[in-house]
Amino acid sequence: MTDKPTNRLEGSVILIAGAASGIGAAIARRCVDEGAKIVCADYGLQPAAELAETLGPSAAACQCDVTKADSARAAVEFARQKFGRLDGLVHNAAAPSTSATVVNLDESAWRHEIDVGLTGAFLMSKFAVPLIAAGGGGSVVFIGSQFGRVATTRAVAYCAAKAGLIHLAKAMAVDHAPDKIRVNSLSPGAVATTRLLRRFADFEAANAGLGPAHLLGRIANPEEIAAAAAFLLSSDASFVTGSDMLVDGGYATR
Ligand SMILES: NC(=O)c1ccc[n+]([C@@H]2O[C@H](COP(=O)([O-])OP(=O)(O)OC[C@H]3O[C@@H](n4cnc5c(N)ncnc54)[C@H](O)[C@@H]3O)[C@@H](O)[C@H]2O)c1
């Protein structure tokens, strides 16, 4: 059963970092469907701009490298200039995960994964939180992973970045509750995005390979993650802060 989206994000302005593809693009679409104005910020300006174009006047795009403070600051300023306020931040960006153990992972690969996945969330929040607070509060959502909760093989930087992200959300939730800012992480299981196509020939093969590890016996589609993100961004989650929401089809349960 698929419920029709409501307009529960009407009047909200939401900045999505890493919006151009996969889960980020699904969150962007869902937010617009629910009435929000959104900024699609991504390292790749062209795909972000193409996405914004398909979403109409409620969406705008800007180039943003979340690993660079000036770029993160500029994305937040772009949102302020374009839509006049900011009510939500989604940090979705992640670098491709390098398959390696701690012994054979290059230092540069480690630093890049931590930079995009964790430092990027810090930098985006550093500039977004004051603007959200100035508008009377809102919601911050970090897209984590089930591998921030349970470890997997040959993904040390990814696991560490995602575990850090989950706890960064909790620490920010403590600091910014007085500003009426809720901060949560959302940890998906495997999701059918191009990320999986680096390991599998197609989504059918990805589903066959990864589905059985999930209690529900399948991988997710990006819209299922976007639905949970929209919940966390909306006032339906008004009493939810400092939590990590597993949307993993039961992967981390056993
Ligand atoms: N697909 C999965 O199976 C899965 C599972 C669990 C968690 N996740 C998480 O969900 C999120 C989205 O994953 P996806 O599968 O849609 O991946 P994706 O690679 O399609 O999307 C990542 C986006 O981040 C952007 N990005 C990368 N580096 C950036 C930078 N420095 N600055 C700004 N943007 C940058 C990319 O351009 C891309 O648009 C990631 O955080 C990922 O770790 C994905």
Side-chain angles (χ1 to χ4, degrees), residues 81-145:
Q81 284 188 9
K82 184 76 192 168
F83 295 122
R85 55 182 295 120
L86 191 63
D87 305 281
L89 168 69
V90 178
H91 179 80
N92 176 70
S97 177
T98 306
S99 177
T101 69
V102 74
V103 177
N104 54 26
L105 182 67
D106 286 346
E107 183 184 342
S108 60
W110 164 270
R111 288 192 186 280
H112 186 58
E113 281 195 53
I114 300 293
D115 251 17
V116 179
L118 183 54
T119 308
F122 156 69
L123 289 173
M124 292 307 302
S125 301
K126 180 176 178 60
F127 300 111
V129 161
L131 186 55
I132 297 173
S139 172
V140 175
V141 178
F142 296 154
I143 305 301
S145 164

Short mmCIF file of all heavy atoms in Angstrom, two decimals, residues 81-145:
data_model
loop_
_atom_site.label_atom_id
_atom_site.label_comp_id
_atom_site.label_asym_id
_atom_site.label_seq_id
_atom_site.Cartn_x
_atom_site.Cartn_y
_atom_site.Cartn_z
N GLN A 81 19.12 33.35 0.32
CA GLN A 81 18.82 34.35 -0.70
C GLN A 81 17.67 33.93 -1.60
O GLN A 81 16.83 34.73 -1.99
CB GLN A 81 20.06 34.62 -1.54
CG GLN A 81 21.07 35.47 -0.80
CD GLN A 81 22.22 35.91 -1.67
OE1 GLN A 81 22.21 35.72 -2.88
NE2 GLN A 81 23.24 36.49 -1.06
N LYS A 82 17.63 32.64 -1.93
CA LYS A 82 16.62 32.13 -2.86
C LYS A 82 15.24 32.08 -2.22
O LYS A 82 14.24 32.48 -2.82
CB LYS A 82 17.04 30.73 -3.33
CG LYS A 82 16.16 30.12 -4.36
CD LYS A 82 16.38 30.70 -5.74
CE LYS A 82 15.29 30.28 -6.69
NZ LYS A 82 15.29 31.02 -7.93
N PHE A 83 15.17 31.55 -0.98
CA PHE A 83 13.85 31.29 -0.37
C PHE A 83 13.62 32.03 0.95
O PHE A 83 12.56 31.89 1.55
CB PHE A 83 13.65 29.79 -0.17
CG PHE A 83 13.60 29.00 -1.47
CD1 PHE A 83 14.49 27.97 -1.71
CD2 PHE A 83 12.65 29.29 -2.45
CE1 PHE A 83 14.44 27.24 -2.89
CE2 PHE A 83 12.59 28.57 -3.64
CZ PHE A 83 13.48 27.54 -3.86
N GLY A 84 14.65 32.76 1.45
CA GLY A 84 14.45 33.66 2.59
C GLY A 84 14.54 33.05 3.97
O GLY A 84 14.53 33.77 4.97
N ARG A 85 14.65 31.73 4.05
CA ARG A 85 14.69 31.08 5.36
C ARG A 85 15.21 29.65 5.18
O ARG A 85 15.40 29.19 4.05
CB ARG A 85 13.33 31.04 6.01
CG ARG A 85 12.26 30.36 5.13
CD ARG A 85 10.88 30.37 5.76
NE ARG A 85 10.85 29.57 6.97
CZ ARG A 85 10.55 30.05 8.17
NH1 ARG A 85 10.23 31.32 8.32
NH2 ARG A 85 10.54 29.27 9.24
N LEU A 86 15.41 28.97 6.31
CA LEU A 86 15.77 27.55 6.22
C LEU A 86 15.13 26.82 7.41
O LEU A 86 15.25 27.25 8.55
CB LEU A 86 17.31 27.37 6.25
CG LEU A 86 17.81 25.97 5.90
CD1 LEU A 86 17.45 25.59 4.46
CD2 LEU A 86 19.34 25.87 6.07
N ASP A 87 14.44 25.73 7.09
CA ASP A 87 13.75 24.95 8.13
C ASP A 87 14.31 23.55 8.28
O ASP A 87 14.08 22.90 9.30
CB ASP A 87 12.26 24.84 7.78
CG ASP A 87 11.64 26.21 7.57
OD1 ASP A 87 11.33 26.87 8.57
OD2 ASP A 87 11.52 26.63 6.40
N GLY A 88 15.00 23.08 7.25
CA GLY A 88 15.50 21.70 7.32
C GLY A 88 16.80 21.54 6.57
O GLY A 88 17.05 22.21 5.57
N LEU A 89 17.63 20.64 7.08
CA LEU A 89 18.88 20.26 6.40
C LEU A 89 18.90 18.74 6.32
O LEU A 89 18.64 18.06 7.33
CB LEU A 89 20.10 20.73 7.20
CG LEU A 89 21.45 20.15 6.76
CD1 LEU A 89 21.87 20.70 5.39
CD2 LEU A 89 22.54 20.45 7.80
N VAL A 90 19.23 18.23 5.14
CA VAL A 90 19.48 16.79 5.00
C VAL A 90 20.92 16.64 4.51
O VAL A 90 21.28 17.20 3.47
CB VAL A 90 18.53 16.14 3.97
CG1 VAL A 90 18.87 14.65 3.80
CG2 VAL A 90 17.08 16.31 4.38
N HIS A 91 21.72 15.92 5.26
CA HIS A 91 23.07 15.60 4.76
C HIS A 91 23.02 14.17 4.25
O HIS A 91 22.92 13.21 5.02
CB HIS A 91 24.13 15.72 5.85
CG HIS A 91 25.50 15.35 5.32
ND1 HIS A 91 26.26 16.22 4.60
CD2 HIS A 91 26.19 14.20 5.36
CE1 HIS A 91 27.38 15.63 4.21
NE2 HIS A 91 27.36 14.40 4.67
N ASN A 92 23.08 14.05 2.93
CA ASN A 92 22.96 12.75 2.27
C ASN A 92 24.26 12.35 1.57
O ASN A 92 24.43 11.19 1.18
CB ASN A 92 21.81 12.84 1.25
CG ASN A 92 21.64 11.58 0.44
OD1 ASN A 92 21.22 10.55 0.97
ND2 ASN A 92 21.98 11.63 -0.84
N ALA A 93 25.15 13.30 1.39
CA ALA A 93 26.36 13.05 0.58
C ALA A 93 27.23 11.96 1.20
O ALA A 93 27.39 11.88 2.42
CB ALA A 93 27.17 14.34 0.44
N ALA A 94 27.78 11.14 0.34
CA ALA A 94 28.77 10.14 0.76
C ALA A 94 29.65 9.84 -0.44
O ALA A 94 29.18 9.83 -1.58
CB ALA A 94 28.10 8.86 1.25
N ALA A 95 30.92 9.62 -0.17
CA ALA A 95 31.85 9.23 -1.23
C ALA A 95 31.66 7.75 -1.53
O ALA A 95 31.16 7.00 -0.68
CB ALA A 95 33.27 9.49 -0.77
N PRO A 96 32.03 7.31 -2.73
CA PRO A 96 32.02 5.87 -2.98
C PRO A 96 32.87 5.15 -1.93
O PRO A 96 33.94 5.63 -1.57
CB PRO A 96 32.66 5.74 -4.37
CG PRO A 96 32.47 7.08 -5.01
CD PRO A 96 32.51 8.09 -3.89
N SER A 97 32.34 4.04 -1.44
CA SER A 97 33.05 3.31 -0.38
C SER A 97 34.17 2.46 -0.99
O SER A 97 33.96 1.74 -1.96
CB SER A 97 32.04 2.41 0.33
OG SER A 97 32.69 1.64 1.29
N THR A 98 35.36 2.59 -0.43
CA THR A 98 36.49 1.81 -0.91
C THR A 98 36.50 0.46 -0.21
O THR A 98 36.40 0.39 1.01
CB THR A 98 37.82 2.53 -0.60
OG1 THR A 98 37.74 3.84 -1.13
CG2 THR A 98 39.01 1.80 -1.19
N SER A 99 36.60 -0.61 -1.00
CA SER A 99 36.62 -1.94 -0.41
C SER A 99 38.02 -2.28 0.07
O SER A 99 38.91 -2.56 -0.74
CB SER A 99 36.16 -2.96 -1.47
OG SER A 99 36.23 -4.27 -0.94
N ALA A 100 38.23 -2.21 1.37
CA ALA A 100 39.57 -2.47 1.92
C ALA A 100 39.49 -2.68 3.42
O ALA A 100 38.58 -2.17 4.08
CB ALA A 100 40.49 -1.28 1.62
N THR A 101 40.45 -3.42 3.94
CA THR A 101 40.61 -3.52 5.39
C THR A 101 41.43 -2.33 5.87
O THR A 101 41.99 -1.58 5.06
CB THR A 101 41.36 -4.82 5.77
OG1 THR A 101 42.72 -4.68 5.34
CG2 THR A 101 40.72 -6.05 5.16
N VAL A 102 41.58 -2.21 7.18
CA VAL A 102 42.36 -1.11 7.73
C VAL A 102 43.82 -1.20 7.28
O VAL A 102 44.51 -0.19 7.15
CB VAL A 102 42.22 -1.09 9.28
CG1 VAL A 102 43.01 -2.22 9.93
CG2 VAL A 102 42.64 0.25 9.85
N VAL A 103 44.27 -2.40 6.97
CA VAL A 103 45.68 -2.59 6.59
C VAL A 103 45.94 -2.08 5.16
O VAL A 103 46.96 -1.44 4.91
CB VAL A 103 46.08 -4.08 6.70
CG1 VAL A 103 47.51 -4.31 6.24
CG2 VAL A 103 45.90 -4.55 8.14
N ASN A 104 44.98 -2.34 4.25
CA ASN A 104 45.29 -1.95 2.86
C ASN A 104 44.48 -0.75 2.34
O ASN A 104 44.55 -0.43 1.16
CB ASN A 104 45.17 -3.15 1.91
CG ASN A 104 43.81 -3.83 2.01
OD1 ASN A 104 42.84 -3.18 2.37
ND2 ASN A 104 43.75 -5.10 1.69
N LEU A 105 43.75 -0.07 3.23
CA LEU A 105 43.05 1.15 2.80
C LEU A 105 44.05 2.31 2.75
O LEU A 105 44.78 2.56 3.71
CB LEU A 105 41.94 1.49 3.81
CG LEU A 105 41.10 2.72 3.49
CD1 LEU A 105 40.25 2.51 2.24
CD2 LEU A 105 40.19 3.08 4.67
N ASP A 106 44.09 3.00 1.61
CA ASP A 106 44.97 4.18 1.50
C ASP A 106 44.53 5.26 2.48
O ASP A 106 43.32 5.48 2.66
CB ASP A 106 44.86 4.80 0.10
CG ASP A 106 45.57 3.98 -0.94
OD1 ASP A 106 46.36 3.10 -0.55
OD2 ASP A 106 45.31 4.22 -2.13
N GLU A 107 45.50 5.98 3.01
CA GLU A 107 45.17 7.09 3.91
C GLU A 107 44.29 8.11 3.19
O GLU A 107 43.35 8.66 3.77
CB GLU A 107 46.45 7.76 4.41
CG GLU A 107 46.17 8.87 5.41
CD GLU A 107 47.42 9.63 5.84
OE1 GLU A 107 48.53 9.09 5.65
OE2 GLU A 107 47.25 10.75 6.34
N SER A 108 44.58 8.36 1.92
CA SER A 108 43.80 9.37 1.19
C SER A 108 42.34 8.92 1.02
O SER A 108 41.41 9.74 1.12
CB SER A 108 44.42 9.66 -0.18
OG SER A 108 44.46 8.48 -0.94
N ALA A 109 42.13 7.62 0.80
CA ALA A 109 40.75 7.11 0.67
C ALA A 109 40.02 7.23 2.00
O ALA A 109 38.84 7.61 2.05
CB ALA A 109 40.77 5.67 0.18
N TRP A 110 40.72 6.88 3.08
CA TRP A 110 40.14 7.04 4.43
C TRP A 110 39.72 8.49 4.64
O TRP A 110 38.58 8.78 5.02
CB TRP A 110 41.16 6.61 5.49
CG TRP A 110 40.82 7.09 6.88
CD1 TRP A 110 41.21 8.28 7.45
CD2 TRP A 110 40.01 6.43 7.87
NE1 TRP A 110 40.69 8.40 8.72
CE2 TRP A 110 39.96 7.28 9.00
CE3 TRP A 110 39.33 5.21 7.89
CZ2 TRP A 110 39.25 6.93 10.15
CZ3 TRP A 110 38.62 4.87 9.05
CH2 TRP A 110 38.58 5.73 10.16
N ARG A 111 40.64 9.42 4.39
CA ARG A 111 40.35 10.83 4.65
C ARG A 111 39.18 11.32 3.79
O ARG A 111 38.34 12.09 4.25
CB ARG A 111 41.60 11.69 4.40
CG ARG A 111 42.66 11.49 5.46
CD ARG A 111 43.76 12.55 5.40
NE ARG A 111 44.83 12.25 6.33
CZ ARG A 111 44.78 12.50 7.63
NH1 ARG A 111 43.72 13.08 8.16
NH2 ARG A 111 45.78 12.16 8.42
N HIS A 112 39.12 10.88 2.54
CA HIS A 112 38.05 11.35 1.66
C HIS A 112 36.68 10.85 2.14
O HIS A 112 35.70 11.61 2.19
CB HIS A 112 38.30 10.91 0.22
CG HIS A 112 37.33 11.49 -0.75
ND1 HIS A 112 37.13 12.86 -0.91
CD2 HIS A 112 36.45 10.90 -1.61
CE1 HIS A 112 36.20 13.07 -1.81
NE2 HIS A 112 35.76 11.91 -2.25
N GLU A 113 36.59 9.59 2.52
CA GLU A 113 35.30 9.06 3.00
C GLU A 113 34.84 9.75 4.28
O GLU A 113 33.66 10.07 4.44
CB GLU A 113 35.39 7.54 3.21
CG GLU A 113 35.28 6.78 1.90
CD GLU A 113 35.00 5.30 2.11
OE1 GLU A 113 34.05 4.94 2.82
OE2 GLU A 113 35.78 4.49 1.58
N ILE A 114 35.79 9.97 5.18
CA ILE A 114 35.44 10.65 6.44
C ILE A 114 35.09 12.11 6.15
O ILE A 114 34.16 12.68 6.73
CB ILE A 114 36.61 10.56 7.46
CG1 ILE A 114 36.93 9.09 7.79
CG2 ILE A 114 36.30 11.36 8.73
CD1 ILE A 114 35.88 8.33 8.56
N ASP A 115 35.82 12.71 5.22
CA ASP A 115 35.59 14.12 4.85
C ASP A 115 34.19 14.33 4.31
O ASP A 115 33.47 15.24 4.74
CB ASP A 115 36.58 14.51 3.75
CG ASP A 115 37.63 15.46 4.25
OD1 ASP A 115 37.80 15.58 5.48
OD2 ASP A 115 38.30 16.07 3.40
N VAL A 116 33.80 13.52 3.33
CA VAL A 116 32.48 13.72 2.70
C VAL A 116 31.37 13.30 3.66
O VAL A 116 30.41 14.03 3.89
CB VAL A 116 32.36 12.94 1.37
CG1 VAL A 116 30.96 13.14 0.76
CG2 VAL A 116 33.44 13.36 0.38
N GLY A 117 31.53 12.11 4.23
CA GLY A 117 30.43 11.52 5.00
C GLY A 117 30.22 12.15 6.37
O GLY A 117 29.09 12.28 6.83
N LEU A 118 31.32 12.54 7.03
CA LEU A 118 31.20 13.00 8.42
C LEU A 118 31.55 14.48 8.55
O LEU A 118 30.74 15.26 9.06
CB LEU A 118 32.12 12.14 9.31
CG LEU A 118 32.08 12.42 10.81
CD1 LEU A 118 30.66 12.34 11.37
CD2 LEU A 118 32.99 11.44 11.56
N THR A 119 32.73 14.89 8.06
CA THR A 119 33.09 16.31 8.16
C THR A 119 32.11 17.15 7.35
O THR A 119 31.78 18.28 7.73
CB THR A 119 34.54 16.53 7.67
OG1 THR A 119 35.38 15.62 8.36
CG2 THR A 119 35.01 17.95 7.94
N GLY A 120 31.62 16.60 6.24
CA GLY A 120 30.62 17.32 5.44
C GLY A 120 29.36 17.62 6.25
O GLY A 120 28.79 18.71 6.15
N ALA A 121 28.93 16.65 7.06
CA ALA A 121 27.74 16.87 7.89
C ALA A 121 28.02 17.96 8.93
O ALA A 121 27.15 18.80 9.23
CB ALA A 121 27.34 15.57 8.58
N PHE A 122 29.24 17.93 9.48
CA PHE A 122 29.63 18.97 10.43
C PHE A 122 29.59 20.35 9.77
O PHE A 122 29.02 21.30 10.30
CB PHE A 122 31.04 18.65 10.97
CG PHE A 122 31.79 19.85 11.48
CD1 PHE A 122 31.39 20.51 12.64
CD2 PHE A 122 32.91 20.33 10.80
CE1 PHE A 122 32.09 21.63 13.10
CE2 PHE A 122 33.60 21.44 11.25
CZ PHE A 122 33.18 22.10 12.39
N LEU A 123 30.22 20.47 8.59
CA LEU A 123 30.30 21.78 7.94
C LEU A 123 28.92 22.28 7.50
O LEU A 123 28.59 23.45 7.70
CB LEU A 123 31.25 21.71 6.73
CG LEU A 123 32.73 21.58 7.08
CD1 LEU A 123 33.57 21.35 5.82
CD2 LEU A 123 33.24 22.81 7.84
N MET A 124 28.11 21.40 6.91
CA MET A 124 26.77 21.83 6.49
C MET A 124 25.98 22.30 7.72
O MET A 124 25.28 23.32 7.68
CB MET A 124 26.02 20.72 5.77
CG MET A 124 26.57 20.32 4.41
SD MET A 124 26.80 21.67 3.23
CE MET A 124 25.15 22.36 3.10
N SER A 125 26.10 21.56 8.82
CA SER A 125 25.35 21.91 10.03
C SER A 125 25.87 23.21 10.63
O SER A 125 25.08 24.04 11.12
CB SER A 125 25.50 20.80 11.07
OG SER A 125 25.00 19.58 10.56
N LYS A 126 27.18 23.39 10.59
CA LYS A 126 27.80 24.59 11.18
C LYS A 126 27.17 25.86 10.62
O LYS A 126 26.94 26.81 11.34
CB LYS A 126 29.30 24.55 10.88
CG LYS A 126 30.10 25.72 11.42
CD LYS A 126 31.58 25.50 11.14
CE LYS A 126 32.43 26.67 11.62
NZ LYS A 126 32.30 26.89 13.06
N PHE A 127 26.87 25.83 9.32
CA PHE A 127 26.31 27.04 8.70
C PHE A 127 24.79 27.01 8.63
O PHE A 127 24.15 28.08 8.63
CB PHE A 127 26.93 27.24 7.31
CG PHE A 127 28.43 27.38 7.39
CD1 PHE A 127 29.28 26.39 6.90
CD2 PHE A 127 29.00 28.47 8.03
CE1 PHE A 127 30.66 26.50 7.01
CE2 PHE A 127 30.38 28.60 8.15
CZ PHE A 127 31.21 27.61 7.64
N ALA A 128 24.20 25.82 8.59
CA ALA A 128 22.74 25.74 8.47
C ALA A 128 22.04 25.96 9.82
O ALA A 128 20.97 26.60 9.86
CB ALA A 128 22.33 24.37 7.90
N VAL A 129 22.62 25.44 10.88
CA VAL A 129 21.93 25.49 12.19
C VAL A 129 21.61 26.93 12.62
O VAL A 129 20.47 27.19 13.06
CB VAL A 129 22.75 24.71 13.25
CG1 VAL A 129 22.35 25.11 14.67
CG2 VAL A 129 22.55 23.20 13.04
N PRO A 130 22.53 27.89 12.49
CA PRO A 130 22.16 29.26 12.91
C PRO A 130 20.98 29.83 12.13
O PRO A 130 20.13 30.53 12.69
CB PRO A 130 23.45 30.06 12.64
CG PRO A 130 24.54 29.06 12.71
CD PRO A 130 23.97 27.80 12.14
N LEU A 131 20.90 29.51 10.83
CA LEU A 131 19.80 30.02 10.02
C LEU A 131 18.48 29.33 10.40
O LEU A 131 17.43 29.97 10.47
CB LEU A 131 20.11 29.84 8.52
CG LEU A 131 19.14 30.44 7.52
CD1 LEU A 131 18.93 31.95 7.76
CD2 LEU A 131 19.63 30.20 6.09
N ILE A 132 18.56 28.03 10.65
CA ILE A 132 17.35 27.31 11.09
C ILE A 132 16.89 27.86 12.45
O ILE A 132 15.70 28.10 12.66
CB ILE A 132 17.61 25.78 11.16
CG1 ILE A 132 17.96 25.23 9.77
CG2 ILE A 132 16.39 25.05 11.72
CD1 ILE A 132 18.41 23.76 9.77
N ALA A 133 17.84 28.08 13.34
CA ALA A 133 17.51 28.61 14.67
C ALA A 133 16.88 30.01 14.55
O ALA A 133 15.90 30.32 15.24
CB ALA A 133 18.76 28.66 15.54
N ALA A 134 17.43 30.82 13.64
CA ALA A 134 16.92 32.19 13.48
C ALA A 134 15.46 32.20 13.02
O ALA A 134 14.71 33.13 13.32
CB ALA A 134 17.78 32.96 12.48
N GLY A 135 15.06 31.13 12.33
CA GLY A 135 13.68 31.05 11.85
C GLY A 135 12.75 30.40 12.87
O GLY A 135 11.58 30.15 12.55
N GLY A 136 13.26 30.05 14.04
CA GLY A 136 12.41 29.49 15.09
C GLY A 136 12.52 27.98 15.25
O GLY A 136 11.77 27.37 16.01
N GLY A 137 13.46 27.36 14.53
CA GLY A 137 13.69 25.92 14.72
C GLY A 137 13.38 25.12 13.48
O GLY A 137 12.96 25.65 12.46
N GLY A 138 13.62 23.81 13.57
CA GLY A 138 13.39 22.94 12.41
C GLY A 138 13.99 21.57 12.65
O GLY A 138 14.07 21.10 13.79
N SER A 139 14.43 20.96 11.57
CA SER A 139 14.84 19.56 11.64
C SER A 139 16.10 19.32 10.80
O SER A 139 16.20 19.80 9.67
CB SER A 139 13.69 18.68 11.10
OG SER A 139 14.10 17.34 10.97
N VAL A 140 17.04 18.57 11.37
CA VAL A 140 18.25 18.15 10.65
C VAL A 140 18.23 16.63 10.57
O VAL A 140 17.97 15.96 11.58
CB VAL A 140 19.53 18.63 11.38
CG1 VAL A 140 20.78 18.08 10.70
CG2 VAL A 140 19.57 20.16 11.44
N VAL A 141 18.49 16.12 9.38
CA VAL A 141 18.49 14.66 9.18
C VAL A 141 19.79 14.26 8.49
O VAL A 141 20.12 14.80 7.42
CB VAL A 141 17.30 14.21 8.30
CG1 VAL A 141 17.34 12.70 8.06
CG2 VAL A 141 15.97 14.62 8.93
N PHE A 142 20.52 13.33 9.09
CA PHE A 142 21.72 12.79 8.46
C PHE A 142 21.40 11.40 7.91
O PHE A 142 20.86 10.55 8.64
CB PHE A 142 22.86 12.63 9.49
CG PHE A 142 23.36 13.92 10.08
CD1 PHE A 142 23.95 13.93 11.33
CD2 PHE A 142 23.26 15.12 9.39
CE1 PHE A 142 24.43 15.11 11.88
CE2 PHE A 142 23.74 16.31 9.93
CZ PHE A 142 24.32 16.30 11.18
N ILE A 143 21.75 11.17 6.64
CA ILE A 143 21.53 9.83 6.09
C ILE A 143 22.74 8.97 6.44
O ILE A 143 23.85 9.17 5.94
CB ILE A 143 21.31 9.87 4.57
CG1 ILE A 143 20.14 10.84 4.22
CG2 ILE A 143 21.01 8.47 4.05
CD1 ILE A 143 18.79 10.50 4.86
N GLY A 144 22.50 8.03 7.35
CA GLY A 144 23.55 7.13 7.82
C GLY A 144 23.53 5.84 7.03
O GLY A 144 23.42 5.84 5.79
N SER A 145 23.62 4.73 7.73
CA SER A 145 23.60 3.40 7.10
C SER A 145 23.46 2.38 8.22
O SER A 145 23.85 2.62 9.36
CB SER A 145 24.92 3.16 6.36
OG SER A 145 25.08 1.78 6.07
#
